[in-house]
Amino acid sequence: MLRFLASHSVLTCTINKNVNDIEVERLYGLTPACNYFIKNEDGASLSASLLASTDKTMFETCYYLDEVVLEPDFSVDEKWILHNWKDDECLILLKKCYEALPKGGKAIVVEGLVPKVPKADDDNATRDMCALDILMTMSFGAKERTEKEYEALAKGSGFDGIRLVCNACNLWVIEFLK
């Protein structure tokens, strides 16, 4: 695993000494990318989110959305999941949500938003979302999205549109409206 991470520039690797003709002692170090997975001065990191987003239960729940007991004010709640998937995969997931919802229902997601055009003077939360965009692309072939990209996913999956409800630290509660 350490070699794999070093081959992807997540860790550095240096040879400390040759143990014999075949074995060597490798020393591994952290690259700047690791800063996102180590607790910062506020005690926060992305490691828990990464583990949660790749957990088996996160993926398997999507296949059972149509088995949910529906109520008139029913909503489907997915937290920070769409950024793990490519657009075509998001459309499949959102279409399942759409089909499971009654008229007037909504799917609720909590996702980050990246700006249409990032600027050098953007705040740290926006910079972090842009860095997470790189991570999602490298890890899953997926991406963080702009408001317009979420709107396009909504309409492409049958929803009437989206509504940005509220945000904290650039994580938005987004309603997909049926």
Side-chain angles (χ1 to χ4, degrees), residues 7-8 11 30 34 48 50 70 96 104 114 120 124 131 141 163 168:
S7 73
H8 284 81
L11 298 175
L30 304 177
C34 292
L50 182 62
L70 301 179
K96 283 188 169 277
V114 291
N124 286 337
R163 183 170 79 96

Side-chain angles (χ1 to χ4, degrees), residues 29-175:
L30 304 177
T31 66
C34 292
N35 289 330
Y36 292 102
F37 303 102
I38 299 170
K39 289 182 180 177
N40 65 12
E41 62 274 359
D42 298 324
S45 83
L46 294 177
S47 59
S49 295
L50 182 62
L51 289 173
S53 67
T54 58
D55 186 72
K56 177 181 162 183
T57 56
M58 289 292 283
F59 295 108
E60 288 183 353
T61 57
C62 302
Y63 297 109
Y64 301 103
L65 291 175
D66 55 348
E67 296 178 14
V68 175
V69 176
L70 301 179
E71 300 293 332
D73 60 348
F74 180 77
S75 67
V76 174
D77 185 10
E78 292 292 337
K79 294 177 184 73
W80 229 21
I81 191 169
L82 296 179
H83 75 156
N84 295 345
W85 302 92
K86 298 174 188 169
D87 287 346
D88 57 332
E89 295 165 327
C90 283
L91 288 171
I92 292 168
L93 172 65
L94 288 169
K95 283 178 184 176
K96 283 188 169 277
C97 291
Y98 182 86
E99 291 166 2
L101 290 168
K103 184 175 177 158
K106 57 189 164 190
I108 301 170
V109 299
V110 178
E111 294 283 349
L113 290 178
V114 291
K116 183 177 178 181
V117 178
K119 300 179 190 95
D121 60 350
D122 282 339
D123 62 12
N124 286 337
T126 300
R127 286 190 196 124
D128 289 346
M129 291 310 303
C130 291
L132 189 56
D133 183 40
I134 294 168
L135 177 65
M136 289 297 104
T137 302
M138 290 173 52
S139 300
F140 304 106
K143 64 181 178 179
E144 299 298 328
R145 293 177 174 84
T146 65
E147 180 181 353
K148 294 290 182 196
E149 289 171 319
Y150 280 115
E151 184 77 33
L153 286 176
K155 291 185 177 181
S157 58
F159 287 93
D160 293 334
I162 64 169
R163 183 170 79 96
L164 300 178
V165 178
C166 62
N167 80 318
C169 299
N170 218 27
L171 291 176
W172 285 85
V173 174
I174 307 169
E175 293 178 340

